[in-house]
Structures are given as structure tokens and as C-alpha cells.
PDB file of all heavy atoms in Angstrom:
ATOM      1  N   PRO R   1      -4.431 -12.149  -5.756  1.00  0.00           N
ATOM      2  CA  PRO R   1      -5.281 -12.743  -4.717  1.00  0.00           C
ATOM      3  C   PRO R   1      -5.389 -11.713  -3.508  1.00  0.00           C
ATOM      4  O   PRO R   1      -5.272 -12.195  -2.437  1.00  0.00           O
ATOM      5  CB  PRO R   1      -4.631 -13.994  -4.477  1.00  0.00           C
ATOM      6  CG  PRO R   1      -3.207 -13.786  -4.471  1.00  0.00           C
ATOM      7  CD  PRO R   1      -3.062 -12.727  -5.712  1.00  0.00           C
ATOM      8  N   LEU R   2      -5.758 -10.522  -3.769  1.00  0.00           N
ATOM      9  CA  LEU R   2      -5.804  -9.563  -2.683  1.00  0.00           C
ATOM     10  C   LEU R   2      -6.673  -8.265  -3.060  1.00  0.00           C
ATOM     11  O   LEU R   2      -6.454  -7.706  -4.139  1.00  0.00           O
ATOM     12  CB  LEU R   2      -4.343  -8.981  -2.491  1.00  0.00           C
ATOM     13  CG  LEU R   2      -3.992  -8.014  -1.256  1.00  0.00           C
ATOM     14  CD1 LEU R   2      -4.536  -8.677   0.014  1.00  0.00           C
ATOM     15  CD2 LEU R   2      -2.633  -7.594  -1.297  1.00  0.00           C
ATOM     16  N   HIS R   3      -7.628  -8.111  -2.165  1.00  0.00           N
ATOM     17  CA  HIS R   3      -8.534  -6.893  -2.613  1.00  0.00           C
ATOM     18  C   HIS R   3      -8.026  -5.665  -1.827  1.00  0.00           C
ATOM     19  O   HIS R   3      -7.796  -4.681  -2.554  1.00  0.00           O
ATOM     20  CB  HIS R   3     -10.008  -7.283  -1.923  1.00  0.00           C
ATOM     21  CG  HIS R   3     -10.934  -6.056  -2.196  1.00  0.00           C
ATOM     22  ND1 HIS R   3     -11.412  -5.786  -3.329  1.00  0.00           N
ATOM     23  CD2 HIS R   3     -11.511  -5.266  -1.235  1.00  0.00           C
ATOM     24  CE1 HIS R   3     -12.271  -4.717  -3.331  1.00  0.00           C
ATOM     25  NE2 HIS R   3     -12.230  -4.439  -1.994  1.00  0.00           N
ATOM     26  N   SER R   4      -7.700  -5.667  -0.534  1.00  0.00           N
ATOM     27  CA  SER R   4      -7.239  -4.643   0.061  1.00  0.00           C
ATOM     28  C   SER R   4      -5.833  -4.912   0.723  1.00  0.00           C
ATOM     29  O   SER R   4      -5.655  -6.030   1.070  1.00  0.00           O
ATOM     30  CB  SER R   4      -8.211  -4.177   1.381  1.00  0.00           C
ATOM     31  OG  SER R   4      -9.531  -3.931   0.812  1.00  0.00           O
ATOM     32  N   LEU R   5      -4.999  -3.882   0.624  1.00  0.00           N
ATOM     33  CA  LEU R   5      -3.643  -4.003   1.131  1.00  0.00           C
ATOM     34  C   LEU R   5      -3.588  -4.652   2.622  1.00  0.00           C
ATOM     35  O   LEU R   5      -2.754  -5.448   3.000  1.00  0.00           O
ATOM     36  CB  LEU R   5      -2.857  -2.785   1.160  1.00  0.00           C
ATOM     37  CG  LEU R   5      -2.683  -2.099  -0.219  1.00  0.00           C
ATOM     38  CD1 LEU R   5      -2.010  -0.756  -0.090  1.00  0.00           C
ATOM     39  CD2 LEU R   5      -1.888  -3.064  -1.129  1.00  0.00           C
ATOM     40  N   GLU R   6      -4.550  -4.152   3.491  1.00  0.00           N
ATOM     41  CA  GLU R   6      -4.586  -4.575   4.896  1.00  0.00           C
ATOM     42  C   GLU R   6      -5.033  -5.954   5.071  1.00  0.00           C
ATOM     43  O   GLU R   6      -4.961  -6.557   6.178  1.00  0.00           O
ATOM     44  CB  GLU R   6      -5.539  -3.650   5.710  1.00  0.00           C
ATOM     45  CG  GLU R   6      -6.856  -3.598   5.290  1.00  0.00           C
ATOM     46  CD  GLU R   6      -7.160  -2.416   4.318  1.00  0.00           C
ATOM     47  OE1 GLU R   6      -6.150  -2.098   3.451  1.00  0.00           O
ATOM     48  OE2 GLU R   6      -8.311  -1.849   4.399  1.00  0.00           O
ATOM     49  N   ASP R   7      -5.539  -6.568   4.020  1.00  0.00           N
ATOM     50  CA  ASP R   7      -6.001  -8.018   4.056  1.00  0.00           C
ATOM     51  C   ASP R   7      -4.809  -9.101   3.658  1.00  0.00           C
ATOM     52  O   ASP R   7      -4.944 -10.221   4.001  1.00  0.00           O
ATOM     53  CB  ASP R   7      -7.058  -8.313   3.128  1.00  0.00           C
ATOM     54  CG  ASP R   7      -8.316  -7.462   3.432  1.00  0.00           C
ATOM     55  OD1 ASP R   7      -8.618  -7.155   4.590  1.00  0.00           O
ATOM     56  OD2 ASP R   7      -9.186  -7.184   2.494  1.00  0.00           O
ATOM     57  N   ALA R   8      -3.737  -8.578   3.471  1.00  0.00           N
ATOM     58  CA  ALA R   8      -2.714  -9.451   3.086  1.00  0.00           C
ATOM     59  C   ALA R   8      -2.031 -10.224   4.282  1.00  0.00           C
ATOM     60  O   ALA R   8      -2.195  -9.740   5.616  1.00  0.00           O
ATOM     61  CB  ALA R   8      -1.398  -8.577   2.513  1.00  0.00           C
ATOM     62  N   ARG R   9      -1.589 -11.356   4.052  1.00  0.00           N
ATOM     63  CA  ARG R   9      -1.037 -12.123   5.153  1.00  0.00           C
ATOM     64  C   ARG R   9       0.176 -11.596   5.806  1.00  0.00           C
ATOM     65  O   ARG R   9       0.478 -11.721   6.930  1.00  0.00           O
ATOM     66  CB  ARG R   9      -0.867 -13.544   4.777  1.00  0.00           C
ATOM     67  CG  ARG R   9      -2.049 -14.387   4.454  1.00  0.00           C
ATOM     68  CD  ARG R   9      -1.775 -15.682   3.606  1.00  0.00           C
ATOM     69  NE  ARG R   9      -0.774 -16.518   4.300  1.00  0.00           N
ATOM     70  CZ  ARG R   9      -0.413 -17.692   3.723  1.00  0.00           C
ATOM     71  NH1 ARG R   9      -0.868 -17.976   2.451  1.00  0.00           N
ATOM     72  NH2 ARG R   9       0.497 -18.498   4.322  1.00  0.00           N
ATOM     73  N   LEU R  10       0.913 -10.797   4.920  1.00  0.00           N
ATOM     74  CA  LEU R  10       2.150 -10.118   5.398  1.00  0.00           C
ATOM     75  C   LEU R  10       1.753  -8.550   5.262  1.00  0.00           C
ATOM     76  O   LEU R  10       1.136  -8.214   4.210  1.00  0.00           O
ATOM     77  CB  LEU R  10       3.364 -10.410   4.629  1.00  0.00           C
ATOM     78  CG  LEU R  10       4.182 -11.766   4.910  1.00  0.00           C
ATOM     79  CD1 LEU R  10       5.367 -11.771   3.903  1.00  0.00           C
ATOM     80  CD2 LEU R  10       4.742 -11.600   6.314  1.00  0.00           C
ATOM     81  N   PRO R  11       2.171  -7.753   6.124  1.00  0.00           N
ATOM     82  CA  PRO R  11       2.004  -6.382   6.012  1.00  0.00           C
ATOM     83  C   PRO R  11       2.617  -5.927   4.674  1.00  0.00           C
ATOM     84  O   PRO R  11       3.854  -6.330   4.461  1.00  0.00           O
ATOM     85  CB  PRO R  11       2.517  -5.603   7.252  1.00  0.00           C
ATOM     86  CG  PRO R  11       2.544  -6.742   8.288  1.00  0.00           C
ATOM     87  CD  PRO R  11       2.783  -8.047   7.499  1.00  0.00           C
ATOM     88  N   VAL R  12       2.081  -5.152   3.867  1.00  0.00           N
ATOM     89  CA  VAL R  12       2.613  -4.710   2.566  1.00  0.00           C
ATOM     90  C   VAL R  12       2.389  -3.200   2.549  1.00  0.00           C
ATOM     91  O   VAL R  12       1.446  -2.634   2.854  1.00  0.00           O
ATOM     92  CB  VAL R  12       2.014  -5.404   1.413  1.00  0.00           C
ATOM     93  CG1 VAL R  12       0.435  -5.371   1.367  1.00  0.00           C
ATOM     94  CG2 VAL R  12       2.598  -5.065   0.108  1.00  0.00           C
ATOM     95  N   HIS R  13       3.429  -2.632   1.929  1.00  0.00           N
ATOM     96  CA  HIS R  13       3.554  -1.186   1.709  1.00  0.00           C
ATOM     97  C   HIS R  13       3.938  -0.875   0.311  1.00  0.00           C
ATOM     98  O   HIS R  13       4.954  -1.379  -0.130  1.00  0.00           O
ATOM     99  CB  HIS R  13       4.442  -0.419   2.827  1.00  0.00           C
ATOM    100  CG  HIS R  13       4.204  -0.873   4.271  1.00  0.00           C
ATOM    101  ND1 HIS R  13       3.248  -0.326   4.955  1.00  0.00           N
ATOM    102  CD2 HIS R  13       4.813  -1.919   4.922  1.00  0.00           C
ATOM    103  CE1 HIS R  13       3.226  -0.865   6.231  1.00  0.00           C
ATOM    104  NE2 HIS R  13       4.230  -1.857   6.136  1.00  0.00           N
ATOM    105  N   VAL R  14       3.129  -0.082  -0.388  1.00  0.00           N
ATOM    106  CA  VAL R  14       3.414   0.321  -1.795  1.00  0.00           C
ATOM    107  C   VAL R  14       3.777   1.776  -1.812  1.00  0.00           C
ATOM    108  O   VAL R  14       3.118   2.711  -1.267  1.00  0.00           O
ATOM    109  CB  VAL R  14       2.131   0.062  -2.521  1.00  0.00           C
ATOM    110  CG1 VAL R  14       2.352   0.568  -4.042  1.00  0.00           C
ATOM    111  CG2 VAL R  14       1.804  -1.410  -2.601  1.00  0.00           C
ATOM    112  N   VAL R  15       4.913   1.984  -2.519  1.00  0.00           N
ATOM    113  CA  VAL R  15       5.343   3.377  -2.573  1.00  0.00           C
ATOM    114  C   VAL R  15       5.088   3.926  -3.984  1.00  0.00           C
ATOM    115  O   VAL R  15       5.395   3.333  -5.077  1.00  0.00           O
ATOM    116  CB  VAL R  15       6.964   3.398  -2.445  1.00  0.00           C
ATOM    117  CG1 VAL R  15       7.445   4.787  -2.627  1.00  0.00           C
ATOM    118  CG2 VAL R  15       7.320   2.982  -1.062  1.00  0.00           C
ATOM    119  N   ALA R  16       4.497   5.171  -4.041  1.00  0.00           N
ATOM    120  CA  ALA R  16       4.184   5.967  -5.232  1.00  0.00           C
ATOM    121  C   ALA R  16       4.786   7.362  -5.117  1.00  0.00           C
ATOM    122  O   ALA R  16       5.337   7.604  -4.116  1.00  0.00           O
ATOM    123  CB  ALA R  16       2.708   5.889  -5.587  1.00  0.00           C
ATOM    124  N   THR R  17       4.530   8.185  -6.104  1.00  0.00           N
ATOM    125  CA  THR R  17       4.993   9.549  -6.163  1.00  0.00           C
ATOM    126  C   THR R  17       3.834  10.458  -6.437  1.00  0.00           C
ATOM    127  O   THR R  17       3.047  10.237  -7.348  1.00  0.00           O
ATOM    128  CB  THR R  17       5.981   9.678  -7.210  1.00  0.00           C
ATOM    129  OG1 THR R  17       7.221   8.686  -6.943  1.00  0.00           O
ATOM    130  CG2 THR R  17       6.710  11.192  -7.060  1.00  0.00           C
ATOM    131  N   ASP R  18       3.700  11.603  -5.617  1.00  0.00           N
ATOM    132  CA  ASP R  18       2.518  12.442  -5.955  1.00  0.00           C
ATOM    133  C   ASP R  18       3.238  13.626  -6.975  1.00  0.00           C
ATOM    134  O   ASP R  18       4.439  13.580  -7.321  1.00  0.00           O
ATOM    135  CB  ASP R  18       2.122  13.259  -4.597  1.00  0.00           C
ATOM    136  CG  ASP R  18       3.164  14.074  -3.908  1.00  0.00           C
ATOM    137  OD1 ASP R  18       4.159  14.406  -4.537  1.00  0.00           O
ATOM    138  OD2 ASP R  18       2.907  14.249  -2.679  1.00  0.00           O
ATOM    139  N   LEU R  19       2.277  14.496  -7.329  1.00  0.00           N
ATOM    140  CA  LEU R  19       2.682  15.495  -8.365  1.00  0.00           C
ATOM    141  C   LEU R  19       3.573  16.493  -7.874  1.00  0.00           C
ATOM    142  O   LEU R  19       4.320  17.202  -8.687  1.00  0.00           O
ATOM    143  CB  LEU R  19       1.410  16.173  -8.921  1.00  0.00           C
ATOM    144  CG  LEU R  19       0.330  15.335  -9.612  1.00  0.00           C
ATOM    145  CD1 LEU R  19      -0.670  16.130 -10.126  1.00  0.00           C
ATOM    146  CD2 LEU R  19       1.021  14.566 -10.679  1.00  0.00           C
ATOM    147  N   ALA R  20       3.900  16.561  -6.572  1.00  0.00           N
ATOM    148  CA  ALA R  20       4.780  17.463  -6.012  1.00  0.00           C
ATOM    149  C   ALA R  20       6.275  16.777  -5.939  1.00  0.00           C
ATOM    150  O   ALA R  20       7.258  17.373  -5.468  1.00  0.00           O
ATOM    151  CB  ALA R  20       4.505  17.990  -4.568  1.00  0.00           C
ATOM    152  N   GLY R  21       6.303  15.457  -6.320  1.00  0.00           N
ATOM    153  CA  GLY R  21       7.547  14.795  -6.311  1.00  0.00           C
ATOM    154  C   GLY R  21       7.854  14.048  -4.886  1.00  0.00           C
ATOM    155  O   GLY R  21       8.998  13.538  -4.856  1.00  0.00           O
ATOM    156  N   ALA R  22       6.851  14.120  -4.035  1.00  0.00           N
ATOM    157  CA  ALA R  22       7.191  13.346  -2.723  1.00  0.00           C
ATOM    158  C   ALA R  22       6.769  11.946  -2.796  1.00  0.00           C
ATOM    159  O   ALA R  22       5.833  11.586  -3.456  1.00  0.00           O
ATOM    160  CB  ALA R  22       6.128  14.088  -1.576  1.00  0.00           C
ATOM    161  N   SER R  23       7.393  11.051  -1.977  1.00  0.00           N
ATOM    162  CA  SER R  23       7.124   9.692  -1.918  1.00  0.00           C
ATOM    163  C   SER R  23       5.907   9.557  -0.923  1.00  0.00           C
ATOM    164  O   SER R  23       5.817  10.077  -0.012  1.00  0.00           O
ATOM    165  CB  SER R  23       8.342   8.987  -1.245  1.00  0.00           C
ATOM    166  OG  SER R  23       8.083   7.695  -1.092  1.00  0.00           O
ATOM    167  N   VAL R  24       4.905   8.620  -1.495  1.00  0.00           N
ATOM    168  CA  VAL R  24       3.725   8.402  -0.740  1.00  0.00           C
ATOM    169  C   VAL R  24       3.717   6.853  -0.433  1.00  0.00           C
ATOM    170  O   VAL R  24       3.793   6.099  -1.309  1.00  0.00           O
ATOM    171  CB  VAL R  24       2.487   8.701  -1.541  1.00  0.00           C
ATOM    172  CG1 VAL R  24       1.259   8.438  -0.825  1.00  0.00           C
ATOM    173  CG2 VAL R  24       2.476  10.392  -1.833  1.00  0.00           C
ATOM    174  N   CYS R  25       3.433   6.551   0.889  1.00  0.00           N
ATOM    175  CA  CYS R  25       3.535   5.090   1.277  1.00  0.00           C
ATOM    176  C   CYS R  25       2.054   4.673   1.389  1.00  0.00           C
ATOM    177  O   CYS R  25       1.232   5.334   2.220  1.00  0.00           O
ATOM    178  CB  CYS R  25       4.270   4.957   2.462  1.00  0.00           C
ATOM    179  SG  CYS R  25       4.258   3.235   3.016  1.00  0.00           S
ATOM    180  N   LEU R  26       1.599   3.774   0.634  1.00  0.00           N
ATOM    181  CA  LEU R  26       0.201   3.188   0.657  1.00  0.00           C
ATOM    182  C   LEU R  26       0.266   1.848   1.482  1.00  0.00           C
ATOM    183  O   LEU R  26       0.882   0.816   1.089  1.00  0.00           O
ATOM    184  CB  LEU R  26      -0.349   3.123  -0.639  1.00  0.00           C
ATOM    185  CG  LEU R  26      -0.355   4.343  -1.594  1.00  0.00           C
ATOM    186  CD1 LEU R  26      -0.753   3.921  -3.074  1.00  0.00           C
ATOM    187  CD2 LEU R  26      -1.386   5.265  -0.969  1.00  0.00           C
ATOM    188  N   SER R  27      -0.495   1.886   2.544  1.00  0.00           N
ATOM    189  CA  SER R  27      -0.528   0.674   3.394  1.00  0.00           C
ATOM    190  C   SER R  27      -1.982   0.213   3.615  1.00  0.00           C
ATOM    191  O   SER R  27      -2.176  -0.935   4.253  1.00  0.00           O
ATOM    192  CB  SER R  27      -0.006   1.043   4.735  1.00  0.00           C
ATOM    193  OG  SER R  27       1.471   1.473   4.566  1.00  0.00           O
ATOM    194  N   ARG R  28      -3.021   0.872   3.154  1.00  0.00           N
ATOM    195  CA  ARG R  28      -4.368   0.515   3.364  1.00  0.00           C
ATOM    196  C   ARG R  28      -5.016   0.937   2.010  1.00  0.00           C
ATOM    197  O   ARG R  28      -4.589   1.650   1.199  1.00  0.00           O
ATOM    198  CB  ARG R  28      -5.027   1.246   4.453  1.00  0.00           C
ATOM    199  CG  ARG R  28      -4.332   0.958   5.828  1.00  0.00           C
ATOM    200  CD  ARG R  28      -5.156   1.765   6.914  1.00  0.00           C
ATOM    201  NE  ARG R  28      -6.468   1.226   7.034  1.00  0.00           N
ATOM    202  CZ  ARG R  28      -6.810   0.108   7.764  1.00  0.00           C
ATOM    203  NH1 ARG R  28      -5.978  -0.792   8.299  1.00  0.00           N
ATOM    204  NH2 ARG R  28      -8.128  -0.345   7.764  1.00  0.00           N
TER     205      ARG R  28
END
């Protein structure tokens, strides 16, 4: 029940990994 991360009732941050092996934090 969420279209955009920034629309959440609680701030939410999603962690992924790029091709260089670095951690990427997605918040929007």
C-alpha cells in the first residue's frame, strides 16, 4: 500500500548494492 517511499507514514530507507559493490540507500 505504498507508491513512493516518501509517502510512507514512517520514514523508510531501502538498502541495495550497486555494481561496484557499494551500499546504496534509497529513501525516495
Side-chain angles (χ1 to χ4, degrees):
L2 184 64
H3 178 69
S4 299
L5 295 176
E6 60 267 33
D7 294 335
R9 288 165 58 185
L10 278 177
V12 56
H13 309 276
V14 173
V15 177
T17 306
D18 67 18
L19 295 183
S23 179
V24 176
C25 182
L26 304 170
S27 305
R28 301 181 63 82

